[in-house]
Amino acid sequence: MSATLTESPHRVLGQPIKRKEDPRFLTGQGRYLDDIKLPNMAYMAIVRSPYAHARIVSINKEPALAVPGVLAVITGEDLEKLGLAWMPTLNGDQQMVLAVGKVLFQYQEVAAVIATSREAAYDGAAAVEVEYDPLPVVVDPFKALEPDAPILREDRKEKSNHIWRWESGDKAATDKAFAEAEVVIKEKIRFPRVHPSPLEPCGCIADYNKTQNHLTLYVTSQAPHAYRTVLAMVTKLPEHQIRVISPDVGGGFGNKVPVYPGYVVAIVGSMLTGRPVKWVETRTENLASTHFARDYHMTVEIAATREGQVKALRVHTVADHGAFDAQAVPSKWPAGLFNICTGSYTFEAAHVVVDAVYTNKAPGGVAHRCSFRVTEASYLIERAMDILAHELKMDPAELRRKNLIPADKFPWKSPTGWVYDSGNYHHTLDYALNLIGYKELRKEQAEKRARGELMGIGISFFTEVVGAGPSKHFDILGIKMFDSAEIRVHPTGKAIVRLGTRHQGQGHETTYAQIVAEELGLSPDDVLVEEGDTDTAPYGLGTYASRSTPTSGAAAAMCARRIREKARKIAAYLLECGEHDLEWADGRFQVKGAPHQSVTMQQIAFAAYTNPPPGMEPGLEATYYYDPPNLTFPYGCYIAVVDIDKGTGEVKVRRFLAVDDCGTIINPMIVQGQVHGGLTEGFAIAFMQDIVFDENGNNLVTNFTEYMLPTAVETPRWETAHTVTPSPHHPLGAKGVGESPNVGSPAAFVNAVVDALSHLGVRHIDMPITREKVWRILRSAGIDE
Amino acid sequence: MIPAAFEYVAPRSVAEAVALLRQHSYDAKVIAGGQSLIPMMRFRMAQPKVLVDIGRIPGLDYLREEDGYLRIGALVRHATMEHSPLIQERYPLLAATARVVADPLVRNLGTVAGSLVHADPAGDWAAAMMAARAQVVVAGPDGERVIGIDDFLVDTFTTALEPDELVVEVRVPIPGPRSGGDYQKIERKVGDFATAAVAVQVTLDEAGRCQQAGIGLCAVGPITLRAAAAEEALVGQPLDEATIRKAAALAAEAAQPTSDTRGSAEYKRDMVRVLTIRALRSAAARALKA
């Protein structure tokens, strides 16, 4: 545990201070991409394919060029001449920027129209004539693997829709455990194809200055530095001539990690027209063409003893990646950290296989832990544990208690190689069960069941894995996944902090200010946090995968400590004593044993610029690149209580308790907000969301009527609580929390619904759990209004 | 999401609006709340050349009882119905409907008459007005005519309106004593169209037998449907559980649902039955108290 968390009056860490960014956001003063207007700016609209798989016979630009205001029409052929028709994906594949020869998914980018107004751009896009010759469509990933399936990716050497196979764990040990097992359960479980759906869609303004060969790209990006490097690689512009600015971002959830074709085309459009080019997606474009998450078809098996001791886990997954393998994963792990799927339990052996497949769907694979596949893994194991409990006729809480990793076994090495940093799982389980009144709920359930009423209780005890990541393992396209902070303390004792991350509403401007204020003895009001401009911020890989606090948060703390070391020297000079005679207390340096002899950071900062010690370099600033020694492993126990309407099949979530352990909490109000948001996402995934395609590959959910986000009416009331088990290796003990609720909650919801119906023989229901799915179960069991 | 270009005119009287409609005929679309038309224009599913905005015509936003009818002016918004003490106290069917139309933002702008003119089979008001046996008052070049709701709704997105006609009022007969109603709707989330919904209006005689019944079905056919056989099965009967269940089964038979992302035809048909049971129970209870 960090030595800085003293019980001093100067205590900023852990305080629920109001978010510094909120006055701006809540009064409509945020400055988002579409708020930015540059002189002489043109607008871009994209022509998209109505077919999921078709040859492009011809494209006629002329009618579009005849529309008043249209400046240019760009096609894949045009990009080919520039060597820009294809671009690399973040998973080592390539994807079309604009379609060349054929289209591979509905809504794929086919052409772009640049015009003097947004209206003219759309009129122009409607006027482009594209002739298609439809090809057989592959929607089902299992059919994609059949020998006679049409080959989708003709650009690849391998003439197969199979992309790659990834294996983890020990097959022999796992097979042996299964051969000797007293009890084996097996289930097919799908995690649906879902979409992160940030309220602000994606967009950019590309502003290329020909005389200076300089590009400024304003873009909705969670990772501006990574964009700069990728754009330098793709466009061949020198990296120092590219400035990426990510203004206020209205939600990301991973959707704003990838570099989308529209950005590349807008850059080309700016080069062609000599104007800044703005492109902002419509809602349909965002839903139908930008990165989805998941679509994992998982077969899970657990080997256990009759007493309920788990022994081994076997998982085979078919992953539907769509037309291009574009998920954002660290280079070493094509299926991310999916092999965290042994969860919170003492499995002795595990074997995990993932087969990735091409289909005629939009590419993706980020959002809500999807690039790292942790939500899939957590859902899988938490569902499977309930199935095992059902098989053994054991209480699911008891089964978990029996198998949770004991506190004295940390650091725990999982059978797939992860080293869990810290946890006190049994304590958290008991705390959650007591808080919700588990025994009473089980009693109520038994009474209701006797009366023919349907009530269920679902538990999920998840372990997250965040803070990517240690450079020895984690890189994306070779770029190591450390992160950074730079602090400048001004002469009057105020400070600016710049970081390599980029928030999208998570509260970084407050959280980081609290960290730096705590470390330097300042008020958070005196610390300005700035992110998102590659010309000013130190290099970093951005904000996603719950990595900001574990990486840049650590960098901010370490950077502040670096400043404090210099400050100590200045303090000693000012107090005319030796450095070792000083102690840091109450947010100031004081002489040991003489606390009235002290200097504040304000006094030190002033001296750093006006009266530095002889021979010392003036100024008070530092930069720190933090390379985490390990990942962090937040965890939690979530419990859902549901009632089921016998007439309609409606599930009502009566209660939901989330007990999170994310280590040291920097701002409990922000953490609660993050948890509320993530639980709401988990609720939506459990009950509402799936990107559905018909047999022709038509996307059936291209607006918010069909792809549903819950409103305040549907959303349950959330109960939140915490246990605190600090990370031993993070400078503040913090672990990260952003995606924990998204990872942990889906299984709790589904487990609760299955629990309500388990006496009818139900073992599993695939998400989303619609009323109709429940209704079918009820009617087939003879239960009616 | 950018509509095609269009012209916009804002007449100040019904006569002026009718003249504009006569002039532009099928090229024109009337806009009141715009909650269905604007999204269709943004998707370019509708590309009217001229928008005739009736929102600035004075005197069309009245809501009052007069001459045996509840008279709902063409500019009465869903939210006005939702918050009206008159509706809340005397028209439980309409009150229940107003509460579940779309979402609060739509309810603040969308109009009752506009919902009927749009003739979406998933429109809540059409089913409610069918159960309430409402009439639609229409202004045209030759003056006004009154059309019964069943005749007004012709087909999916199609009404009996001529291109130069404008709905100016919706009329609901004032229910007699011992009347009650209810609207039961299943939707995937607030703001979604109904998966299925049922509107019920009943009047009991002094002996507690059903004297008059109206049942409208929403979102389970190409058009708003009247469950006529179910209505007949109720008349003359006490509204006990057996009668209610029998009528509900007949209502389910009257439905013509199709399968879509909201549910299978089979599920929707069964929901008509369940919702009819619930609506009739509630309507009967209200009638006994009224």
Side-chain angles (χ1 to χ4, degrees), chain A residues 118-119 122-123 126 282-284 645-649 688 700-701 703-706 708-711 713-714 771-772 775-776 779 784-785, chain B residues 1-5 43-44 186-193 195 245 261-268 270-271 273-275 277-278 281:
Chain A
R118 189 168 274 171
E119 290 76 9
Y122 276 85
D123 286 344
T282 63
R283 178 60 56 196
T284 295
D645 183 322
K646 290 188 288 182
T648 63
M688 294 180 171
L700 301 181
V701 294
N703 55 57
F704 276 166
T705 303
E706 293 297 342
M708 288 172 286
L709 308 192
T711 72
V713 176
E714 291 82 30
R771 292 184 180 106
E772 180 164 355
W775 168 84
R776 279 192 193 282
R779 293 297 186 269
D784 198 349
E785 170 77 0
Chain B
M1 298 305 222
I2 306 284
F43 282 116
R44 298 196 173 192
I186 293 182
E187 55 188 356
R188 296 178 299 181
K189 59 166 275 193
V190 163
D192 188 22
F193 294 106
T195 302
R245 283 184 176 267
T261 51
R262 288 181 182 76
S264 68
E266 191 190 358
Y267 177 67
K268 291 179 185 179
D270 195 48
M271 286 310 98
R273 183 183 62 86
V274 171
L275 297 180
I277 292 172
R278 291 180 182 182
R281 280 180 193 151

Side-chain angles (χ1 to χ4, degrees), chain A residues 119-169:
Chain A
E119 290 76 9
Y122 276 85
D123 286 344
V128 173
E129 292 171 357
V130 187
E131 192 187 335
Y132 296 95
D133 185 9
L135 294 166
V137 173
V138 179
V139 175
D140 182 328
F142 292 94
K143 287 190 178 153
L145 292 173
E146 287 173 4
D148 58 342
I151 303 301
L152 303 185
R153 290 289 300 279
E154 295 161 29
D155 58 299
R156 289 175 88 235
K157 275 201 288 286
E158 304 81 8
K159 296 303 167 203
S160 161
N161 296 324
H162 185 257
I163 312 173
W164 42 256
R165 163 169 287 205
W166 180 65
E167 287 189 53
S168 174

Side-chain angles (χ1 to χ4, degrees), chain B:
Chain B
M1 298 305 222
I2 306 284
F6 58 87
E7 263 182 71
Y8 171 90
V9 280
R12 302 302 157 116
S13 70
V14 169
E16 198 188 333
V18 168
L20 283 164
L21 292 176
R22 193 173 179 83
Q23 180 190 341
H24 296 288
S25 187
Y26 289 103
D27 287 342
K29 265 289 193 190
V30 173
I31 183 165
Q35 298 302 293
S36 299
L37 181 58
I38 296 286
M40 289 177 77
M41 288 171 64
R42 287 172 64 97
F43 282 116
R44 298 196 173 192
M45 289 159 70
Q47 298 196 16
K49 291 205 172 69
V50 182
L51 276 192
V52 179
D53 183 357
I54 62 167
R56 298 186 190 197
I57 299 177
L60 282 183
D61 59 352
Y62 55 86
L63 176 64
R64 59 175 179 262
E65 289 184 332
E66 197 174 88
D67 304 330
Y69 288 97
L70 172 72
R71 298 176 56 172
I72 306 167
L75 289 177
V76 170
R77 321 264 167 193
H78 311 308
T80 310
M81 298 290 283
E82 184 184 5
H83 301 300
S84 156
L86 171 69
I87 300 297
Q88 284 169 7
E89 282 160 28
R90 292 177 41 87
Y91 296 87
L93 163 61
L94 303 185
T97 308
R99 276 197 295 275
V100 296
V101 171
D103 59 40
L105 301 179
V106 171
R107 292 204 288 274
N108 283 339
L109 285 173
T111 63
V112 177
S115 168
L116 297 182
V117 172
H118 187 48
D120 188 326
D124 295 296
W125 285 118
M129 293 303 171
M130 198 164 262
R133 296 183 194 280
Q135 300 166 353
V136 181
V137 182
V138 170
D142 307 321
E144 289 189 352
R145 63 182 180 126
V146 178
I147 311 172
I149 187 72
D150 295 70
D151 295 327
F152 180 78
L153 301 169
V154 172
D155 205 341
T156 313
F157 300 128
T158 309
T159 67
L161 275 182
E162 296 297 331
D164 54 3
E165 285 183 321
L166 177 73
V167 171
V168 292
E169 181 180 293
V170 181
R171 284 182 189 169
V172 177
I174 297 174
R178 295 176 303 281
S179 292
D182 193 25
Y183 191 68
Q184 288 279 335
K185 176 179 182 177
I186 293 182
E187 55 188 356
R188 296 178 299 181
K189 59 166 275 193
V190 163
D192 188 22
F193 294 106
T195 302
V198 176
V200 160
Q201 178 71 27
V202 295
T203 303
L204 307 182
D205 65 17
E206 284 177 359
R209 286 192 176 77
C210 182
Q211 203 169 41
Q212 202 180 34
I215 301 177
L217 309 182
C218 171
V220 288
I223 186 172
T224 306
L225 298 171
R226 180 179 291 287
E231 291 172 351
E232 279 166 34
L234 294 170
V235 174
Q237 303 295 322
L239 294 185
D240 54 23
E241 189 68 12
T243 306
I244 285 174
R245 283 184 176 267
K246 188 179 162 202
L250 290 168
E253 276 179 39
Q256 304 166 26
T258 51
S259 299
D260 59 20
T261 51
R262 288 181 182 76
S264 68
E266 191 190 358
Y267 177 67
K268 291 179 185 179
R269 190 183 294 283
D270 195 48
M271 286 310 98
V272 169
R273 183 183 62 86
V274 171
L275 297 180
T276 306
I277 292 172
R278 291 180 182 182
L280 280 169
R281 280 180 193 151
S282 151
R286 282 172 177 153
L288 287 170
K289 277 190 233 157

